[in-house]
């Protein structure tokens, strides 16, 4: 229990202190007109209150990630607490803050546009493909999942339920952000928060000991923590998918100082939710072995339902059902909206087309493969989502590093987590079964060799920008 409570306190302290430090490094300017006003169009660029932005951002980035991912990560033992806290404060929240604030600073720019500005068009091309595939897969999975559950709970056939869910996705993708998302997300957000807080309180007063983080109890399993844990628990610590969602909210903020509350704050909120469900998984089933059996028997949705009903009774069962249906929907719809926005921005620079026509056309372009994938078994593709998701996270962090280097600011706040995540993805792709499936030691050697190459490029960039700054200073002094 001490580890659990301490972890939550550390996350809150991270927001109270480190978030403000990151904000001071970025240097906000509330006198600058935000894209919500500068480009106001009644569709994507719409001024909204920051608290609505917080709920939208939380649901955009969360879905079932901090629940299902945290339960899977809990199989690694109490070390999951450590990764959620450290990853969330120093990597995930920093990642989300810069993805949102750089978008805000550059007119509501999408993630690929930011990559092109700071890392070059070659990287942008690869990121465009990866991020679009990632979002389409997420939208497809979060169409099929709720549809399957609706089929179990109602007389609806799977295809009928699928069409209903997807019809909502289309509406959420093409209607003004304040008409659907801005109105219903705060309600859904309250359900998510109440569900997590209720489970957390029940854990604290339920009488079962919550596992502590000790040397003996750090990692009871056999699978290596590095790099598997960092890919298993992504949404609760750091997830590249978030960088594709932040521009939705960056186009609605009224001033730059709201960014810390919305982008950094929503990630801290997600970290707290992930901590609660990781603790619930380890505690309710008497350890990682019991949790593994429960996951094998009923899957993550069955585990969520069993925990919720047992700890909270009928109320918990209702929350569990609502959560497992609503949460994936609130990520799937914005995944489709984000992919539409990225394609619309890219195509509008190439074709002169009416705004409404572009929106509808791009929605169809991304909607067709999304709907098709939701009707077939594409699990062979889904296996690659974890790795590609963290590749996107590393790229976003390197984008932030490039920005900070150019501005002569403290680049280490993004550089250290960027190096860490580079090491994760470089090692994972060689070790994982969906990758090369090499021996662990071989994967470590190759992965860290590649990471060392990236580190050398990083150091070279540091000296290059120092020389540029020094030359600029000399020229100013001479003049």
């Amino acid at each position: 229990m001490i580890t659990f409570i301490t972890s939550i306190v550390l996350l809150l302290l991270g927001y109270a202190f480190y978030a403000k430090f990151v904000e001071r490094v970025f240097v906000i300017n509330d006198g600058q007109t935000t894209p919500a006003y500068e480009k106001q169009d009644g569709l994507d660029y719409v001024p909204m209150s920051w608290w609505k932005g917080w709920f939208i951002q939380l649901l955009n980035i969360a879905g079932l990630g901090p629940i299902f991912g945290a339960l899977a990560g809990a199989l690694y033992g109490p070390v999951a607490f450590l990764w959620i806290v450290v990853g969330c404060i120093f990597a995930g929240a920093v990642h989300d803050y810069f993805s949102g604030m750089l978008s805000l600073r550059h007119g509501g720019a999408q993630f690929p546009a930011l990559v092109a500005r700071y890392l070059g068009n070659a990287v942008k091309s690869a990121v465009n493909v990866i991020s679009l595939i990632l979002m389409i897969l997420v939208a497809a999975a979060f169409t099929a999942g709720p549809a399957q559950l609706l089929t179990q709970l109602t007389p609806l056939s799977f295809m009928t339920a699928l069409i209903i869910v997807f019809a909502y996705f289309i509406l959420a993708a093409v209607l003004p952000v304040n008409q659907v998302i801005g109105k219903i997300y705060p309600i859904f957000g309250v359900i998510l928060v109440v569900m997590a807080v209720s489970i957390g309180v029940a854990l604290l007063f339920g009488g079962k000991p919550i596992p502590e983080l000790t040397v003996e109890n750090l990692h009871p399993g056999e699978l290596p923590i590095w790099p598997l844990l960092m890919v298993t628990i992504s949404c609760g610590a750091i997830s590249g998918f978030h960088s594709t969602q932040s521009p939705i909210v960056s186009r609605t903020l009224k001033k730059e100082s709201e960014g810390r509350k919305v982008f950094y704050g929503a990630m801290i909120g997600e970290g707290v939710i992930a901590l609660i469900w990781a603790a619930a998984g380890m505690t309710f089933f008497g350890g990682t072995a019991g949790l593994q059996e429960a996951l094998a028997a009923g899957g993550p949705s069955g585990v969520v339902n069993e925990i919720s009903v047992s700890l909270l009774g009928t109320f918990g069962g209702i929350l569990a059902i609502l959560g497992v249906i609503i949460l994936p929907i609130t990520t799937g719809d914005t995944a489709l909206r984000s992919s539409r926005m990225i394609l619309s921005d890219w195509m509008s620079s190439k074709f002169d087309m009416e705004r409404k026509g572009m929106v509808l056309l791009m929605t169809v372009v991304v909607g067709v493969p999304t709907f098709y994938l939701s009707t077939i078994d594409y699990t062979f593709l889904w296996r690659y989502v974890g790795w590609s998701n963290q590749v996107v996270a590393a790229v976003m962090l390197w984008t932030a590093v490039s920005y900070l280097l150019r501005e002569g600011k403290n680049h280490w706040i993004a550089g250290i987590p960027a190096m860490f995540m580079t090491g994760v993805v470089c090692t994972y792709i060689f070790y994982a079964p969906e990758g090369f499936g090499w021996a662990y030691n071989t994967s470590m050697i190759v992965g860290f060799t590649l990471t060392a190459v990236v580190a050398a490029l990083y150091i070279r960039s540091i000296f290059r920008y120092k020389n540029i700054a020094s030359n600029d200073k000399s020229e100013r002094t001479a003049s």
Side-chain angles (χ1 to χ4, degrees), residues 141-193:
F142 290 167
T143 305
Q148 288 171 348
L149 189 56
L150 283 172
T151 301
Q152 296 170 9
L153 299 173
T154 68
L156 296 174
S157 67
F158 174 71
M159 184 56 67
T160 302
L162 197 67
I163 291 172
I164 291 172
V165 173
F166 196 74
Y168 162 75
F169 278 19
I170 296 295
L171 288 175
V174 301
L175 289 177
V177 67
N178 60 330
Q179 286 190 8
V180 176
I181 294 174
K183 290 182 178 178
I184 65 174
Y185 269 41
I187 299 171
F188 292 164
V190 169
I191 292 174
L192 172 62
V193 172

Side-chain angles (χ1 to χ4, degrees), residues 18-32 97-98 101-102 104-106 255-260 403-404 407-410 413:
Y18 196 67
K20 291 182 179 179
F21 171 70
V22 172
E23 183 183 61
R24 286 196 297 271
V25 171
F26 183 79
V27 185
I28 59 171
N29 178 13
D30 276 345
Q32 182 167 313
Y97 182 79
F98 276 99
M101 293 306 292
L102 286 177
L104 184 70
R105 188 63 63 84
H106 294 297
K255 54 185 180 180
E256 289 192 353
S257 58
E258 295 175 344
R260 175 171 56 86
Y403 162 78
L404 293 169
E407 296 293 319
K409 298 176 180 178
N410 182 354
I413 61 171

